[in-house]
């Protein structure tokens, strides 16, 4: 069994910063791509950004230059540093990981439970 646990969400004023973490645990051989998604009320879940095992990143246009994704492979953890936050960044943020759970097996997508980020004065 694999578990992804997110932390670091909360309430922040516009222009502020937050750092989210997502730690994977359980039966893991290797984690390939990891990423962050978000879902605002009444909207579909959307990509925030992804990071490969080697550290290559990809971001949605709406967060480029403000958000930074990083990971610690030894800790099976991915981070999302969010700066210059705007009210439109308010959403539940989810992490996703492509996890190989056994030798010779294909990676399977796993999701965290989500953490609320609210940007408001």
């Amino acid at each position: 069994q694999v578990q992804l646990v997110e932390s670091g969400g909360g309430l922040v004023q516009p222009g502020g910063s937050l750092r989210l973490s997502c730690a994977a645990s359980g039966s893991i051989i290797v984690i390939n791509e990891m990423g962050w998604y978000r879902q605002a009320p009444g909207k579909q879940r959307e990509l925030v950004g992804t990071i490969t095992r080697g550290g290559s990143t990809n971001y949605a246009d709406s967060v480029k230059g403000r958000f930074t994704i990083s990971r610690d492979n030894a800790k099976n953890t991915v981070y999302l540093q969010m700066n210059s936050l705007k009210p439109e960044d308010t959403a539940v943020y989810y992490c996703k990981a492509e996890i190989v759970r056994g030798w010779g097996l294909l990676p399977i997508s796993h999701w965290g439970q989500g953490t609320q980020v609210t940007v408001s004065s």
Side-chain angles (χ1 to χ4, degrees):
Q1 190 173 352
V2 170
Q3 197 172 19
L4 270 63
V5 178
E6 296 134 340
S7 60
L11 173 64
V12 63
Q13 292 187 341
S17 299
L18 278 177
R19 189 191 194 211
L20 306 183
S21 299
C22 173
S25 62
S27 179
I28 298 171
I29 298 297
V30 67
I31 302 178
N32 292 339
E33 185 177 275
M34 303 183 84
W36 290 95
Y37 293 72
R38 66 186 182 186
Q39 187 167 17
K43 295 187 177 181
Q44 290 189 332
R45 191 172 298 188
E46 64 177 7
L47 172 71
V48 174
T50 60
I51 184 167
T52 67
R53 183 168 179 80
S56 297
T57 55
N58 175 60
Y59 297 97
D61 288 343
S62 59
V63 306
K64 279 181 182 176
R66 300 189 298 122
F67 291 11
T68 302
I69 296 176
S70 60
R71 63 188 285 176
D72 184 333
N73 291 331
K75 296 182 179 180
N76 288 335
T77 300
V78 62
Y79 305 97
L80 180 64
Q81 178 66 45
M82 303 183 291
N83 299 328
S84 302
L85 281 161
K86 306 175 181 180
E88 50 264 44
D89 294 318
T90 295
V92 177
Y93 284 70
Y94 298 89
C95 69
K96 178 184 176 184
E98 304 294 328
I99 297 175
V100 178
R101 297 184 57 195
W103 297 109
L105 297 180
L106 294 174
I108 297 175
S109 297
H110 291 78
W111 291 85
Q113 81 286 354
T115 185
Q116 177 70 46
V117 171
T118 302
V119 185
S120 175
S121 54

